[in-house]
Amino acid sequence: DGLTGLPNQRLFLERVQGAIERTKQQNKYLFAVLFLDLDRFKVVNDSLGHLLGNQLLIEISHRLKSVLRVGDIVARFGGDEFTILLEEIEDISTAIQVAERIKKVLALPFQLNEHRVFTNASIGIALSKVDYEQAAQILRDADVAMYCAKSLGKARYEVFDRKMHEGASLLLELETALRNALLKQEEFRLDYQPIISLITGKLIGFEALIRWHHPERGLISPQDFIPLAEETGMIVSIGQWVLYEACHQMHKWHKQFPSSLPLTISVNFSGKQITQPDVFKEVKHILQETGLKPCSLKLEITETFLMDNFELAITVLSQLAALNVEMHMDDFGTGYSSLNYLHRLPIKTLKIDRSFVNNIGSRGENLEIVRAIVTLAHNLNMSVTAEGIETVEQLAQLKALQCDYGQGYFFLPAMERAEVERLLAA
Ligand code: C2E
Ligand code: CA
Ligand code: CA
Ligand code: CA
């Protein structure tokens, strides 16, 4: 590997193949493969760039080498993935000890120039078995275990077992179904949840929320397939479909139900979509094609994505904002935005995550957090939308805090197109 000087994927697979041959020849010969994937890293300090990523990978390879025994090898598998081969071990506990040590050395911050960077890795461990024939098989199992570690909360390790395999094949099934749905484009639908001005009490627009009607399994929640769509890159095509559909629909409603202040449409925009090279052209094109005015479109981007990709986010968001599309920060409060960053992004609105609104009425803590967010936003000339308002008490508190907009079951849930039309006609 040109960057880290570690062995590359091909070399690693050859070594694993050698270990597989030894298990076949020598009874009791055991080895293990570890699959590491870096969890998103946090930078404490200002801007971060590509260089930093490369430097970090080099530093990480040094630390990984430092925990290995003589004869073990670590390879860079590609991107931010590393693999480790532990030859001739007593039992699984050796591999677990190594994983523990890796967790420890990666938990210490990295000092790169003036930046302090925090990262860690999700680690999957697979132990050799006599029925492994190909290096790729044990690697796949380690990868499955890594994926489990990631979904169980990151910065941890998991040892592969059969049950994981079932989980993985269910996931694979879902992936295939999602691919088909994407091709047919008949199983997706958008629902629309009203957004209300807390100051005037009036409807100002809707958030478009995707629904997937699987022919056999029924309705599948976006929480269950959006993460998979992001992982596999399918979110880019799904997102295009959502954006087109939402803009098209809102343009139709503008003509059908004219009002002095045209309703707006909020669309969830995934991080993967923002990193597409031609995202700006794409959005512009969809607006032209559907005839929707840019000022009627709001794109919601999660806080976590924005902070992890700060420099890129500034560039793309500025382009979109220059078009007159509003940018909103979704799930605000769940990430780690610093004030330093926030004012540099062309963000119009912060959407307070539902979890803060949840017990605002009963618990002092969340009330103070929401108060702080509203004050911060207003000082930065941004407005605030509270999501997940369910009770009249929550609404009263939010109004008292001068929160600008609200959305939640207290007003209305996400509704089908026909229901929206009944609402607008009334
Ligand atoms: P989100 O963007 O935070 O969307 C708000 C979610 O909260 C929606 O769930 C909505 O139905 C739900 N909700 C609204 N009011 C209330 C309330 O008063 N109480 C409670 N408990 N929940 C409420 P939904 O539709 O299941 O969507 C879940 C998530 O899936 C969304 O969270 C968003 O992150 C993602 N998502 C949905 N549609 C899309 C899409 O078209 N593209 C992308 N990239 N993500 C989407
Ligand atoms: Ca990664
Ligand atoms: Ca949203
Ligand atoms: Ca949210």
Side-chain angles (χ1 to χ4, degrees), residues 37-40 80-81 150:
D37 185 287
L38 297 188
D39 301 328
R40 74 188 172 88
D80 61 353
E81 295 175 343
K150 213 166 236 317

Side-chain angles (χ1 to χ4, degrees), residues 402-419:
Q402 293 181 307
C403 180
D404 308 271
Y405 306 104
Q407 171 181 359
Y409 300 161
F410 175 76
F411 299 112
L412 286 161
M415 307 183 293
E416 292 184 20
R417 194 189 66 196
E419 270 181 282

Side-chain angles (χ1 to χ4, degrees), residues 172-223:
L172 205 66
E173 228 176 81
L174 193 65
E175 186 181 330
T176 312
L178 194 55
R179 253 180 232 294
N180 285 330
L182 194 55
L183 284 176
K184 285 188 285 183
Q185 303 213 330
E186 295 164 350
E187 296 170 12
F188 295 127
R189 201 189 67 204
L190 291 182
D191 277 359
Y192 301 89
Q193 186 174 35
I195 302 176
I196 310 293
S197 160
L198 299 189
I199 297 157
T200 66
K202 289 212 171 97
L203 174 74
I204 63 141
F206 296 92
E207 176 176 1
L209 293 159
I210 194 170
R211 302 292 175 250
W212 178 18
H213 284 268
H214 188 281
E216 284 117 46
R217 281 201 245 168
L219 192 65
I220 302 179
S221 154
Q223 255 131 341

Side-chain angles (χ1 to χ4, degrees), residues 176-278:
T176 312
L178 194 55
R179 253 180 232 294
N180 285 330
L182 194 55
L183 284 176
K184 285 188 285 183
Q185 303 213 330
E186 295 164 350
E187 296 170 12
F188 295 127
R189 201 189 67 204
L190 291 182
D191 277 359
Y192 301 89
Q193 186 174 35
I195 302 176
I196 310 293
S197 160
L198 299 189
I199 297 157
T200 66
K202 289 212 171 97
L203 174 74
I204 63 141
F206 296 92
E207 176 176 1
L209 293 159
I210 194 170
R211 302 292 175 250
W212 178 18
H213 284 268
H214 188 281
E216 284 117 46
R217 281 201 245 168
L219 192 65
I220 302 179
S221 154
Q223 255 131 341
D224 293 331
F225 71 87
I226 293 290
L228 176 69
E230 283 178 338
E231 190 77 23
T232 53
M234 279 187 268
I235 192 67
V236 175
S237 317
I238 295 177
Q240 270 172 8
W241 179 85
V242 170
L243 187 62
Y244 185 90
E245 187 67 21
C247 291
H248 182 62
Q249 186 60 66
M250 188 43 82
H251 182 63
K252 268 189 51 205
W253 284 338
H254 281 173
K255 286 190 295 188
Q256 225 176 323
F257 308 99
S259 69
S260 50
L261 271 179
L263 295 168
T264 61
I265 186 80
S266 299
V267 177
N268 291 288
F269 219 56
S270 136
K272 275 264 164 66
Q273 284 174 273
I274 289 281
T275 51
Q276 292 299 301
D278 44 5

Side-chain angles (χ1 to χ4, degrees), residues 37-51:
D37 185 287
L38 297 188
D39 301 328
R40 74 188 172 88
F41 56 87
K42 300 181 183 183
V43 179
V44 180
N45 214 322
D46 257 342
S47 62
L48 64 138
H50 278 308
L51 262 182

Side-chain angles (χ1 to χ4, degrees), residues 270-396:
S270 136
K272 275 264 164 66
Q273 284 174 273
I274 289 281
T275 51
Q276 292 299 301
D278 44 5
V279 58
F280 170 71
K281 272 205 235 143
E282 181 78 43
V283 173
K284 202 170 148 184
H285 182 71
I286 289 181
L287 284 167
Q288 275 164 355
E289 196 134 295
T290 58
L292 187 74
K293 286 213 185 73
C295 62
S296 299
L297 176 64
K298 301 170 173 182
L299 293 177
E300 297 189 358
I301 299 163
T302 62
E303 177 186 18
T304 315
F305 170 79
L306 287 178
M307 291 302 138
D308 283 353
N309 302 274
F310 193 69
E311 295 302 332
L312 179 76
I314 289 191
T315 313
V316 181
L317 266 56
S318 305
Q319 284 181 319
L320 290 168
L323 250 190
N324 252 338
V325 173
E326 274 187 24
M327 308 304 298
H328 292 200
M329 193 185 270
D330 208 351
D331 298 342
F332 189 76
T334 56
Y336 52 89
S337 315
S338 78
L339 305 181
N340 242 352
Y341 287 109
L342 211 52
H343 78 277
R344 292 176 50 200
L345 289 169
I347 296 284
K348 198 67 196 279
T349 301
L350 303 181
K351 282 192 97 169
I352 303 183
D353 193 65
R354 217 180 28 254
S355 55
F356 296 106
V357 175
N358 230 328
N359 38 32
I360 188 181
S362 55
R363 295 262 308 279
E365 243 166 79
N366 279 339
L367 186 70
E368 287 317 311
I369 293 175
V370 173
R371 190 199 305 280
I373 296 177
V374 174
T375 310
L376 163 70
H378 287 170
N379 284 339
L380 292 173
N381 264 327
M382 298 174 182
S383 50
V384 180
T385 304
E387 39 170 56
I389 305 176
E390 294 181 355
T391 67
V392 68
E393 290 82 15
Q394 291 166 353
L395 175 62

